Amino acid sequence: MAAKKPARKTSPKKKSSGMPKDLLDELVASNHILYDQGVVDAFGHVSTRHPSHPGHFLMSRAIAPKLVRPADIMEFDAQGEPVDQRGREVYIERYIHSEIFKRRSDVNAVVHSHSRGIIPFGITQVKLRPVFHNGSFLYSGVPVFDIRDVAGDSTDLLIRDNKLGKALAESLGDNAVVLMRGHGDAVVGATLAAAVIRAIYTEENARLQATAMSFGGPVNYLSDGEGATMEKRSRGGSPRVWDMLKSRVAKR
Ligand code: MN
């Protein structure tokens, strides 16, 4: 029988109320992976639904994703407000996350980025469509949210409140990605791995589609049937991809 451990007076390294360490580590890794893969730069953020308070979510305080550590993760409520702010700066656009979690019970992670390759598809009439198997989740359609339609033409394009967040979430509908005109996108998934991998492949699909279109001829996109079949089979994503992405950002 193992020796009895001495009782601790305080709980060890308590980060905040009820945040499981594995999920915190996964969220921190997600921040680093999105930077490593060029999806986010100094801006952009990733969140995950709180496992024991499903209306709440977890996200870093307002710092560059590359610099996020477990101690930076904060809990936010269903209104997108911090539960225990303690003077920490929070992302202005946290309402992207709160309103999507509110509207989509199937979604457990959200990525917001300004990934470069997708911008042209938010400002032209060209629709972002799946051009390769890794982009199959785009088959259901990629709506473009134009903040001008909701809040006029003098905004700074940022999702600064619940009303704008709600309008964006409605524009997303049941799809995986919504483009934000002249700004970026929001990508969702059933898990952190799924949302992060989709954000990476959304960017890659955009670049490949632009290349294909530059050749001048018609582009042979995936069909809806192919997209639907692939999504059904790849549900949950490939652990092979996620393990590789994590290994690239793991501390040595
Ligand atoms: Mn933004």
Side-chain angles (χ1 to χ4, degrees):
M1 201 184 193
K4 201 181 166 190
K5 283 181 188 161
R8 287 175 189 271
K9 285 201 177 84
T10 53
S11 56
K13 278 190 177 175
K14 198 176 178 189
K15 305 290 185 203
S16 182
S17 60
M19 296 186 198
K21 188 180 179 299
D22 287 358
L23 190 62
L24 283 187
D25 290 346
E26 195 92 332
L27 183 52
V28 169
S30 296
N31 275 276
H32 299 169
I33 288 166
L34 289 166
Y35 176 76
D36 181 53
Q37 295 294 312
V39 174
V40 299
D41 48 19
F43 302 105
H45 19 89
V46 51
S47 66
T48 189
R49 196 183 284 279
H50 195 297
S52 45
H53 301 109
H56 291 202
F57 64 96
L58 306 177
M59 189 164 68
S60 172
R61 70 187 171 97
I63 56 174
K66 182 182 190 291
L67 306 179
V68 171
R69 291 155 166 239
D72 298 312
I73 305 299
M74 299 173 65
E75 179 178 344
F76 295 83
D77 67 18
Q79 268 49 257
E81 300 307 338
V83 169
D84 177 23
Q85 188 161 6
R86 280 186 278 129
R88 291 172 288 183
E89 195 185 332
V90 292
Y91 293 124
I92 292 166
E93 297 192 283
R94 56 197 182 275
Y95 309 103
I96 294 170
H97 305 261
S98 58
E99 292 299 322
I100 289 175
F101 286 129
K102 204 178 288 179
R103 195 180 190 282
R104 289 281 298 273
S105 59
D106 62 312
V107 165
N108 292 307
V110 178
V111 175
H112 166 59
S113 86
H114 308 153
S115 85
R116 295 180 195 83
I118 55 119
I119 298 295
F121 296 91
I123 58 175
T124 62
Q125 297 304 304
V126 179
K127 290 204 179 315
L128 185 61
R129 294 177 60 187
V131 294
F132 74 147
H133 64 300
N134 286 332
S136 58
F137 57 90
L138 301 171
Y139 86 95
S140 62
V142 183
V144 177
F145 172 75
D146 192 342
I147 197 168
R148 202 180 277 145
D149 298 338
V150 184
D153 66 359
S154 300
T155 71
D156 61 3
L157 301 182
L158 302 186
I159 303 296
R160 286 184 170 273
D161 56 36
N162 297 106
K163 181 173 165 264
L164 290 169
K166 182 167 185 275
L168 177 70
E170 281 168 0
S171 178
L172 168 69
D174 293 329
N175 300 296
V177 180
V178 58
L179 301 184
M180 303 155 76
R181 191 265 306 162
H183 177 179
D185 67 4
V187 182
V188 304
T191 62
L192 268 172
V196 169
I197 290 168
R198 280 176 168 180
I200 294 165
Y201 284 140
T202 299
E203 169 68 15
E204 204 167 316
N205 193 97
R207 289 175 186 268
L208 291 172
Q209 185 176 342
T211 301
M213 294 181 79
S214 76
F215 290 1
V219 177
N220 196 353
Y221 296 100
L222 298 197
S223 69
D224 287 356
E226 288 167 342
T229 299
M230 272 180 256
E231 279 310 285
K232 219 177 288 168
R233 294 201 178 147
S234 74
R235 191 150 290 171
S238 167
R240 202 187 303 173
V241 178
W242 191 234
D243 290 346
M244 181 204 70
L245 292 169
K246 280 201 289 194
S247 79
R248 288 178 53 89
V249 300
K251 283 194 207 109
R252 260 158 268 205

